[in-house]
Amino acid sequence: MEVEETGEMRTSWSGSGDTRSVLCDHAGKKRKQDLIPEPVIRIMEDEEEEEEEGEMMSDHKDSEEPSNKKVKPVTKSNSLTGVITPVKTAALKRIGQSISRSISFRTDARPLPPGPLRPRSKASSFPRRRNSQCWSDTVESHDLTAKEIKRQEVIYELTQGERQLIEDLSLFMKVYYEPMLKLDILTESELGQIFGTLDSLIPLHEDLLARLERLRGSEKTVGEVGPTLHDWFPCLEAYVTYCCNQVGAKALLDQKKQEKRVEHFLRLCQESSFSRKLDLWNFLDLPRSRLVKYPLLLKEIQKCTPPDHPDEDTLPDALELIQSIVAEVNKKTGEAECQFYRRGLIYLEESQRIPEIHQSRFLYCHGELKTNKGQKLHVFLFELALVLTRPGDDRDIRGQMFNVYRQPLPNTLINLEEIPDSEAGGGGTFRGAFTGGNDKVKNCFRVSSRGRSKVNPYCLQANDSFSKQQWITCLRQAIVQSRDRTAHTSQSPLSLPPDPALCHIADLSLSSDTDMADHTCR
């Protein structure tokens, strides 16, 4: 079919031995025309179908005299090429399109086979989201019970977690460490302090992955997993060095982020597809996050293990071992954090160097608070003392320095008072201090000292209600623990051993609103 410049439409078909060409004008009229060598629709007609089916109608809205004449049907078509040839003007093109839409072909012809699908563009090799595949997706059939299926799913999750961690850490070293070293964005010494012993952790997890893969049978099921984990868990003692280094690594990284070149590089990496919107510190914290997940996975495996299974005897020992390793890592990390911030304190007076600060082994929490005059302070709640500081302008390789503000308070002498929001905005020290009006001030509490009249009470305001509750909870725990420690020390000449149940609290940081929401005071 073809639309020419004269506005006419030509239809050509092949019948029994002859070929006819018909020109149809806009009104549907047709007249004979000599054959032309132009592309046409080739139609093989059936004489019986010729009388029963097929009617071609043209009802263009601009037509003055629609035609009702019957036209021989289109029954079988080998090609659709040449139906409408290109037109030379926009007006004729619109007419041809309208005519094409107005023609209805009613036919029993077989549909054309679907054309080949166009291949999609290659997906990024760094997907933003993990592929959430389950163990059941990897097997075609099985005859396991629901409990055993759950057990296989957890073991598969353990295996996949190792594989993903190895991929992340290897990629992390390749796209962060190596480019920053080659481009001289950070020195080798600075990169060594920030990355620590990260590269040494990758072979450890590759070893566990290889062991777990060897346990999978021909049916992709894992039988006994307890002995393998129990033999491998001692390798995780290497995490003590890595996690203790993270305290200084975070401080140095925050300091270097202030440099424009470093900030620009890290921002480009975070916006790239491989990062999955994770920043540099998220990658550095992946090993620690993986470490604390092992006890949870083992508990799930143990829960799904039948009483008569061989793992019933070995899993408890493996679970006890990994819990002791995690506790040791938390304890050493807490001590390293306490020492790090203790070294950053600058005493303005010699009387501020109270012994409780140097005797503290860990931090309960630390973060930003405000005074009744709206002055920002950085407060440290050590194991045995509460220290109020003002961030200093001086920085060194150890991080930011903090000027001690007023007199530190031993935790045994602290009186804690929670100030309701309705009272904080009334009279007294808080009126108008933060808002300049009569609006009530929220999220406030007061700390004072027993038996030391020269130490004035400190009225402090947290950033939000969550922060306030965390501070109050930690302060109460610190007061109770300090008084119990003092009581036991007075009764016994021997000092109390470190309490491992409290050392993990050093992981809690209240340094910002964002960080505060991600931590829980235990």
Side-chain angles (χ1 to χ4, degrees), residues 2 11 13 33 65 95 156 210 212 267 304 311 436 449 457 491:
E2 180 181 60
T11 303
W13 66 83
Q33 183 75 5
E65 187 179 343
I95 293 174
Y156 185 77
L212 293 176
R267 178 166 50 82
C304 304
D311 271 345
S449 177
Q491 296 175 2

Side-chain angles (χ1 to χ4, degrees), residues 244-498:
C244 289
N245 179 77
Q246 277 192 300
V247 181
K250 182 66 164 61
L252 178 58
L253 178 60
D254 292 341
Q255 177 182 346
K256 301 303 293 187
K257 280 182 179 180
Q258 305 302 318
E259 299 179 9
K260 187 175 181 179
R261 192 182 183 195
V262 176
E263 187 276 334
H264 180 68
F265 176 84
L266 297 180
R267 178 166 50 82
L268 290 178
C269 290
Q270 186 173 356
E271 293 174 354
S272 300
S273 59
F274 70 83
S275 70
R276 304 192 305 279
K277 296 184 179 181
L278 302 178
D279 61 12
L280 176 59
W281 180 250
N282 293 136
F283 281 102
L284 288 170
D285 200 44
L286 284 177
R288 186 199 62 82
S289 301
R290 183 63 181 170
L291 175 66
V292 299
K293 197 172 183 179
Y294 287 122
L296 303 178
L297 291 172
L298 254 67
K299 289 179 181 179
E300 286 297 318
I301 297 176
Q302 189 177 19
K303 189 186 301 182
C304 304
T305 300
D308 57 344
H309 197 280
D311 271 345
E312 187 66 18
D313 296 330
T314 56
L315 281 178
D317 295 336
L319 179 59
E320 182 179 359
L321 176 60
I322 187 59
Q323 287 176 334
S324 64
I325 294 175
V326 172
E328 179 68 15
V329 172
N330 284 334
K331 175 184 175 181
K332 296 297 184 181
T333 303
E335 293 176 353
E337 183 182 30
C338 182
Q339 295 174 7
F340 177 82
Y341 286 111
R342 194 167 56 197
R343 289 195 302 265
L345 297 178
I346 300 177
Y347 299 94
L348 304 180
E349 299 178 4
E350 192 62 29
S351 60
Q352 295 175 334
R353 296 178 180 272
I354 62 175
E356 286 83 355
I357 297 177
H358 299 279
Q359 294 173 3
S360 297
R361 300 162 297 176
F362 61 88
L363 270 168
Y364 282 98
C365 59
H366 67 95
E368 184 180 283
L369 295 173
K370 293 181 181 179
T371 65
N372 60 332
K373 296 180 180 179
Q375 184 179 18
K376 292 183 180 181
L377 300 177
H378 197 96
V379 182
F380 296 92
L381 180 57
F382 290 96
E383 179 192 10
L384 302 175
L386 178 68
V387 182
L388 284 67
T389 69
R390 288 181 293 191
D393 298 330
D394 298 334
R395 289 176 177 267
D396 59 12
I397 195 172
R398 297 173 300 175
Q400 187 173 8
M401 311 301 290
F402 299 90
N403 299 314
V404 177
Y405 175 78
R406 304 290 178 85
Q407 184 68 22
L409 298 178
N411 293 344
T412 55
L413 302 178
I414 290 179
N415 282 330
L416 175 63
E417 179 185 359
E418 182 176 358
I419 303 176
D421 294 341
S422 58
E423 297 180 12
T429 59
F430 274 87
R431 183 174 58 187
F434 301 95
T435 62
N438 293 325
D439 296 337
K440 61 180 181 180
V441 180
K442 301 180 180 180
N443 311 317
C444 303
F445 60 93
R446 182 182 292 109
V447 291
S448 56
S449 177
R450 299 187 308 165
R452 295 191 179 186
S453 57
K454 65 177 181 178
V455 179
N456 296 324
Y458 302 132
C459 296
L460 304 172
Q461 182 189 30
N463 294 327
D464 50 45
S465 58
F466 178 82
S467 305
K468 173 187 175 180
Q469 191 57 46
Q470 296 304 303
W471 275 105
I472 290 176
T473 302
C474 290
L475 281 166
R476 287 173 177 167
Q477 188 172 7
I479 293 170
V480 172
Q481 293 290 339
S482 296
R483 292 176 182 175
D484 290 346
R485 185 175 187 273
T486 302
H488 288 132
T489 303
S490 61
Q491 296 175 2
S492 173
L494 299 177
S495 61
L496 287 178

Side-chain angles (χ1 to χ4, degrees), residues 60 87 89-99 101:
H60 190 268
V87 295
T89 64
L92 291 177
K93 184 176 182 179
R94 288 196 297 270
I95 293 174
Q97 291 174 346
S98 179
I99 293 174
R101 288 194 297 267

Side-chain angles (χ1 to χ4, degrees), residues 7 19 46 59 64 73 104 107 146 158 178 184 191 193 197 205 235 335 351 380 384 442 461 473 478 499:
T19 302
D46 191 331
D59 54 353
E64 298 179 357
S104 174
T107 177
L158 171 65
E178 296 178 6
D184 199 24
L191 289 171
Q193 184 172 348
T197 58
H205 294 279
C235 299
E335 293 176 353
S351 60
F380 296 92
L384 302 175
K442 301 180 180 180
Q461 182 189 30
T473 302
D499 187 355

